[in-house]
């Protein structure tokens, strides 16, 4: 077997492994997005609050980026507004739409990546 064939086979195996890992990671994040955990914010002082709904297309458009940012920085609290026990935050934070990010006095509702970066800090 020539060196080129060996390298080609090795690269093919690496590509397949990376594809499987990528799919598994994507599926896991989708699973996390659908969780309806009841959130108590008193435990999360000085964190970015990310209010979203798991059935919201705009929320889904930014969820993966914010999730992976949080894996590294651990500074975001995910609050799924489809959890009835989280809905009291609508009044407390005067939420009018999702996705909404709040960090201290900073607040942004929407999907603009640059504005999201400024709030979550990248």
């Amino acid at each position: 077997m020539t060196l080129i064939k060996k390298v080609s086979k090795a690269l093919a195996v690496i590509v397949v492994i990376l594809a499987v890992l990528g799919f598994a990671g994507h599926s896991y994040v989708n699973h996390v997005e659908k969780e309806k955990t009841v959130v108590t914010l008193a435990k999360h002082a000085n964190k970015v609050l990310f209010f979203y709904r798991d059935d919201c297309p705009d929320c889904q458009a930014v969820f993966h980026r914010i999730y992976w940012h949080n894996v590294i920085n651990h500074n975001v609290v995910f609050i799924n507004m489809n959890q009835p026990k989280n809905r009291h935050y609508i009044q407390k934070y005067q939420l009018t739409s999702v996705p909404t990010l709040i960090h201290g006095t900073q607040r942004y509702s929407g999907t603009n990546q640059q504005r999201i970066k400024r709030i979550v800090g990248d």
Side-chain angles (χ1 to χ4, degrees), residues 2-114:
T2 67
L3 180 61
I4 293 173
K5 284 185 179 180
K6 286 181 182 179
V7 170
S8 296
K9 283 187 178 185
L11 285 174
V13 169
I14 290 170
V15 167
V16 168
I17 289 171
L18 290 175
V20 168
L21 289 175
F23 177 75
H26 181 80
S27 295
Y28 177 74
V29 174
N30 284 344
H31 165 74
V32 170
E33 181 182 17
K34 301 289 184 211
E35 288 182 344
K36 292 182 176 66
T37 306
V38 177
V39 177
T40 305
L41 293 182
K43 300 176 187 174
H44 303 290
N46 202 30
K47 297 233 179 185
V48 176
L49 307 179
F50 176 45
F51 296 95
Y52 73 99
R53 282 192 356 244
D54 57 72
D55 58 356
C56 160
D58 285 343
C59 300
Q60 292 168 352
V62 299
F63 190 92
H64 282 252
R65 181 182 177 100
I66 295 170
Y67 176 84
W68 289 112
H69 162 85
N70 193 57
V71 166
I72 296 167
N73 296 291
H74 308 289
N75 68 333
V76 178
V77 178
F78 294 83
I79 305 154
N80 187 344
M81 298 308 291
N82 280 339
Q83 165 54 261
K85 292 183 179 180
N86 289 338
R87 292 200 182 126
H88 67 279
Y89 294 123
I90 294 170
Q91 184 175 1
K92 181 176 182 176
Y93 290 98
Q94 300 170 346
L95 301 173
T96 57
S97 64
V98 287
T100 295
L101 293 130
I102 299 174
H103 186 227
T105 59
Q106 296 180 319
R107 175 186 199 104
Y108 175 66
S109 294
T111 59
N112 180 289
Q113 296 293 333
Q114 295 304 323

